């Protein structure tokens, strides 16, 4: 799932339409060059449309559909209506002043998933952070940012959390290292409130949290955090996402995503079971009260 060359991440719908255009071209028996000739563009333009690397220009889309043998005007109009919708920027576009383009891909994937699985060795996942915890994390990760930029980042994180308040929220299943819960982010008061938030999350029907204790020893995913996204659209494959300080990588090849899925399945079996998570959190919270 490539990042858009026109700015920001492609919506999932745009990815779907790109894949449908590819299927129609192949069904028509046309090469990239022949499809491009119909538009009087280079083959790279058609390739990028199919990969959701550029926006879907409606005249190009209509011409391609007719070139691929689609003659029914109703079918063409329906496809064009979807293309218009796909070209609209996501809500996160409002935060482009503090949202790196590479991270906008993550927000797009997160916003349109119906299953989100994750491994987090460092911090509480953004969807479950309290406001004060998020502020402390952002200050640590953006040491040169102004106070206003930090607050914009906090606002973005809180708006992302509305995903869990939808009428049909995604399933969020996270494995966190014990380190996440013991790392003093923002001080004892902030951590106590954050643990309270995680305890509340345990009662949410679409949230599953597991803690990987120190005593469990090494496991298959000790390279760094990652997410796996699944979508309610059959045409889309699962996507695995990993990031570094300066960028991110998305994987959608079946063999690559399977490696992440297998690692996470093994970790779920190795971590404390979901039914034990609340007790683990309560124990850690008690320790914090004793500390001060």
């Amino acid at each position: 799932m490539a990042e858009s060359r026109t700015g920001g991440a492609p919506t999932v719908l745009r990815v779907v339409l790109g894949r449908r255009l590819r299927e129609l071209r192949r069904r028509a028996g046309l090469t990239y060059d022949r499809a491009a000739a119909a538009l009087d563009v280079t083959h790279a333009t058609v390739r990028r449309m199919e990969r959701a690397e550029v926006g879907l220009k409606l005249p190009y889309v209509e011409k391609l559909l007719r070139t691929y043998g689609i003659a029914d005007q109703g079918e063409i109009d329906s496809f064009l209506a979807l293309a218009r919708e796909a070209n609209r920027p996501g809500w996160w576009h409002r935060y482009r002043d503090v949202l790196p383009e590479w991270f906008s891909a993550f927000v797009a994937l997160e916003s349109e998933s119906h299953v989100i699985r994750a491994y987090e060795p460092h911090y509480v996942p953004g969807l479950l952070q309290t406001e004060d915890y998020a502020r402390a994390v952002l200050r640590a990760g953006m040491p040169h940012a102004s106070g206003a930029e930090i607050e914009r980042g906090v606002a973005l994180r809180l708006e992302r959390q509305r995903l869990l308040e939808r009428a049909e929220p995604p399933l969020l299943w996270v494995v966190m290292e014990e380190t996440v819960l013991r790392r003093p982010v923002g001080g004892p008061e902030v951590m106590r409130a954050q643990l309270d938030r995680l305890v509340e999350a345990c009662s949410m029907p679409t949230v599953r949290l597991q803690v990987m204790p120190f005593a469990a020893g090494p496991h298959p995913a000790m390279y760094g955090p990652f997410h796996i996204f699944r979508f309610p659209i059959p045409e889309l494959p699962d996507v695995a996402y990993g990031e570094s300080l300066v960028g991110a990588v998305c994987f959608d090849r079946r063999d690559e995503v399977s490696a992440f899925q297998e690692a996470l399945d093994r970790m779920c079996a190795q971590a404390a079971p979901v039914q034990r998570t609340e007790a683990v959190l309560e124990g850690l919270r008690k320790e914090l009260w004793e500390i001060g």
Side-chain angles (χ1 to χ4, degrees), residues 15 29 43-44 50 58 93 121 125 129 139 153 169 188 199 203 226 248 258 275 286:
V15 175
H43 66 84
E50 292 182 359
L58 301 187
H93 189 69
Q129 292 178 5
R139 281 175 179 158
V199 170
S203 64
F226 64 87
S258 292
Q275 296 80 2
K286 183 178 179 181

Side-chain angles (χ1 to χ4, degrees), residues 243-263:
E243 65 185 46
S244 67
L245 283 173
V246 294
V249 180
C250 293
F251 305 91
D252 63 3
R253 283 176 42 185
R254 186 183 299 273
D255 58 335
E256 294 172 333
V257 177
S258 292
F260 286 94
Q261 291 173 330
E262 181 180 352

Side-chain angles (χ1 to χ4, degrees), residues 42 44 52 234:
T42 67

Side-chain angles (χ1 to χ4, degrees), residues 12 23 27 52 90 140 161 168 171 240 247:
V12 169
E23 292 168 4
R27 192 183 306 167
Q161 294 179 4
E168 296 184 4
L171 170 65

